[in-house]
Every structure is written in structure tokens, then in C-alpha cells.
Amino acid sequence: MYYNEDTIVYYNGEFVKATEAKGNVYDQSLHYGYAVFEGIRSYTTHNGTKIFKAKEHFNRMQFSCESIGIPYTFNNQELIDISYEVLRRNNLSDAYIRPLVTCTPNMQLTKGREAQLLICAWEWGAYLGEKLLRLTTSSYRRITPACFKVEAKVSGHYINSIMATQEAKDKGFDEALLLDVNGFVAEGPGANIFFEVDGVLHTPQLGSILPGITRATVLDICNDLGIEVVQRQIKPEEVKGADGSFMCGTAAEVIGIQSLDDVAFTKPWSETLGARIQKAYKNLVLEKEYNTVLKVA
Ligand code: PMP
């Protein structure tokens, strides 16, 4: 599904077949989850294939590596060019691009000695689907800045996301909502969250969340469309049964939420601010004009 015999990846300085790329079983990353990755999308726009927010993603990858001591020896503009080349060699346009930085053999719990880089890509539909989501509050709390560099996109952090997602699915829900260690709303396992209350959007402040590039884009869209957004600490009981809610992330894009723990959000999705933002986001990634079309309330 992610690759076949013809798939080409960029691995340690070369374009090679995915089936022939070889890792080392003593890599520090494999043993300790000590790696950094990104999730990026490209779109078929009227200006050709365009990687959305490419610079922001590679800058975050650099920030993530530097935050946890993985030596970063890459040039981000070169990585953007390589990503386009990976798309071209695989004949992809609407795609998901996955760069991964791993560390060489080292069984010590010391910082990485040398970084290795993989860039691969595949076609991936909306990560959380297209239907409104039924969320449940996770019994797992989001990782905390007292223990991790929460703002870095580190592979090991995703054990928390895997446990929360599987728990939600086992309970018959579509997706989890994680609270932070103090009981405030944090985020989904792979996306940020917004709530609509009386015409204003509320979203968790930075601190215990991944500062999503899509979240930042949504904030820009809201600024353009004149939608007020408050970033603050949110108690889950305040937003249960609110007017609306949506999650956002590169893979998920903007996706509406039907209910939290079976308490429905009250407005029909099509009448929510989230639905307007979803359209605006789609237009933006496709490099279409959006502000003139959607500004009318
Ligand atoms: N939170 C988490 C935990 C994530 O994994 C992601 C996906 N990268 C996001 C939020 C959304 O981030 P972005 O918009 O940069 O994809």
C-alpha cells in the first residue's frame, strides 16, 4: 500500500528502490524511538504539483532534531528539491511525503552520532476520512513538557498517539481526544483541535501540543476571514455540546467532529465556522483565491 516494487525513495544520499533500501538493526532510532519525522502533503494545483508549506515542515524537522540532539547536517532547500524529485520519480502529484531522520548504530543513551535521512512518498486519502468524527476522551494523557520536547515531532512520542488511537477504536469511536496532565484539552493523536462557541473559535494554547502547521494556517485563515480565535486552557466539560468542533493536521486536513463522548456538537456541520475554514483550506492548498469568496459571513 505504501510502496511496491517500483517505488523509489531517497535514502542516505541516493535514490534507491524502496525494496532495496537497507537499515541497520543496531540503529539507535530503532531501539529507542529516537528519530524525527515530518508529514507533508503535495497537491495538484493549477500551477502544477505543489508541496504545501514545504519550508515550514523542513524547518520544523530541523528544530525537532536540534531539540533532542540529533545532528542536523541537511540543507532544507535541497530537501525540498529532493522531495519534488521523489514525487517526480514515482509519478506522484497528490501525495503524502514522509521524511524521517534516524541515528546510526549506538546502544548508549547519549545523543545521536550521525543522522541518516529517508524521504518517501505515497498516495494517501484524508487520514481521518471525510465523514464527521465521533471522538472519545482518551484515558491516556498527552505527553508533557516536563518529560519530552512536546513541540518536536519525535518518533517515540507517537507511542502515546498509537495507544490513544487504538483505545478509541476499540471502544467503537473514530478518534481520541487527549487531555494534558492537568486535565485541559490538548489535541488528537495526530491533529490539533478547535471548538466553536457563540461565533468564536477556541483552541488549546501551545505548551502540551504539537504546534501544527495546519493549526497555524487555520489561524491565518481566521485572521483573513475575520473569525475570532482564542488560544487558552480549555476544560473538556466547557466544550462538550458546543456549537461545533474540528480537527486539523497535514494528513487529516480540516475535518468536522460530530460528537465528543457521544455528546453531539449542536450546529449542522455545514453551518459551522469549521465548514468555512475547511473550504478555505482546500482552496489555499490548491493555490486558489479564497478570501474574496468566503469573506461574507
Ligand atoms: N498534533 C499531533 C500530535 C500530530 O501528530 C500532528 C500531525 N503532524 C498535528 C498535531 C498536526 O500538525 P501539522 O498540522 O503540522 O500536520
Side-chain angles (χ1 to χ4, degrees):
M1 173 187 165
Y2 303 108
Y3 69 97
N4 60 31
E5 283 180 5
D6 300 322
T7 302
I8 300 291
V9 303
Y10 178 83
Y11 190 49
N12 290 341
E14 311 183 277
F15 294 96
V16 293
K17 279 193 165 189
T19 50
E20 288 167 14
K22 289 196 176 53
N24 189 310
V25 295
Y26 296 92
D27 276 356
Q28 196 183 17
S29 303
L30 191 59
H31 290 253
Y32 304 128
Y34 183 66
V36 156
F37 68 99
E38 269 304 321
I40 314 176
R41 270 194 192 275
S42 62
Y43 293 90
T44 309
T45 77
H46 56 101
N47 298 317
T49 301
K50 287 295 171 81
I51 300 176
F52 189 62
K53 303 278 180 191
K55 247 197 200 140
E56 286 81 351
H57 282 283
F58 285 107
N59 286 346
R60 183 169 68 187
M61 188 163 89
Q62 178 166 6
F63 165 82
S64 299
C65 285
E66 287 169 352
S67 302
I68 62 166
I70 295 181
Y72 197 84
T73 47
F74 313 107
N75 173 298
N76 287 347
Q77 186 52 52
E78 275 173 30
L79 298 192
I80 294 171
D81 296 343
I82 290 165
S83 300
Y84 276 107
E85 184 61 17
V86 169
L87 294 176
R88 201 187 61 76
R89 289 187 186 224
N90 290 289
N91 208 8
L92 290 168
S93 183
D94 280 298
Y96 181 82
I97 303 163
R98 167 58 57 84
L100 173 71
V101 180
T102 58
C103 293
T104 49
N106 178 13
M107 292 298 113
Q108 301 291 315
L109 298 176
T110 49
K111 69 181 183 187
R113 288 179 178 155
E114 204 185 315
Q116 311 168 123
L117 172 70
L118 167 75
I119 301 180
C120 56
W122 61 87
E123 262 176 34
W124 221 17
Y127 171 68
L128 295 170
E130 311 275 354
K131 288 202 313 214
L132 298 186
L133 301 176
R134 291 176 57 244
L135 295 192
T136 184
T137 309
S138 183
S139 73
Y140 297 104
R141 294 296 169 96
R142 188 71 191 130
I143 57 169
T144 161
C147 306
F148 291 98
K149 299 284 184 186
V150 174
E151 275 127 32
K153 199 165 165 63
V154 174
S155 296
H157 296 178
Y158 282 81
I159 297 162
N160 175 251
S161 297
I162 288 170
M163 292 194 300
T165 303
Q166 191 59 52
E167 181 193 57
K169 290 191 187 293
D170 288 346
K171 286 165 70 183
F173 290 89
D174 300 313
E175 184 59 305
L177 175 64
L178 291 107
L179 308 183
D180 68 18
V181 286
N182 298 314
F184 294 105
V185 174
E187 62 187 329
N192 294 114
I193 190 156
F194 286 76
F195 301 96
E196 176 179 343
V197 184
D198 297 332
V200 175
L201 289 180
H202 299 255
T203 195
Q205 64 196 42
L206 299 184
S208 291
I209 61 172
L210 186 79
I213 290 165
T214 318
R215 177 183 181 276
T217 306
V218 166
L219 294 177
D220 288 345
I221 290 171
C222 289
N223 190 39
D224 285 352
L225 299 183
I227 296 169
E228 191 186 338
V229 189
V230 186
Q231 300 181 52
R232 64 178 178 90
Q233 290 184 311
I234 300 170
K235 282 277 183 198
E237 54 271 21
E238 285 177 59
V239 287
K240 256 186 206 177
D243 299 328
S245 177
F246 62 91
M247 278 185 164
C248 67
T250 301
E253 302 178 303
V254 175
I255 179 73
I257 297 169
Q258 182 182 81
S259 59
L260 172 58
D261 297 322
D262 282 329
V263 180
F265 292 97
T266 50
K267 272 193 185 178
W269 168 249
S270 60
E271 292 171 23
T272 61
L273 294 171
R276 278 171 70 199
I277 291 162
Q278 187 182 49
K279 278 195 204 114
Y281 185 76
K282 199 88 231 181
N283 287 346
L284 197 61
V285 298
L286 296 176
E287 304 199 339
K288 291 185 190 160
E289 279 297 319
Y290 69 91
N291 38 2
T292 44
V293 187
L294 292 156
K295 208 149 206 158
V296 280

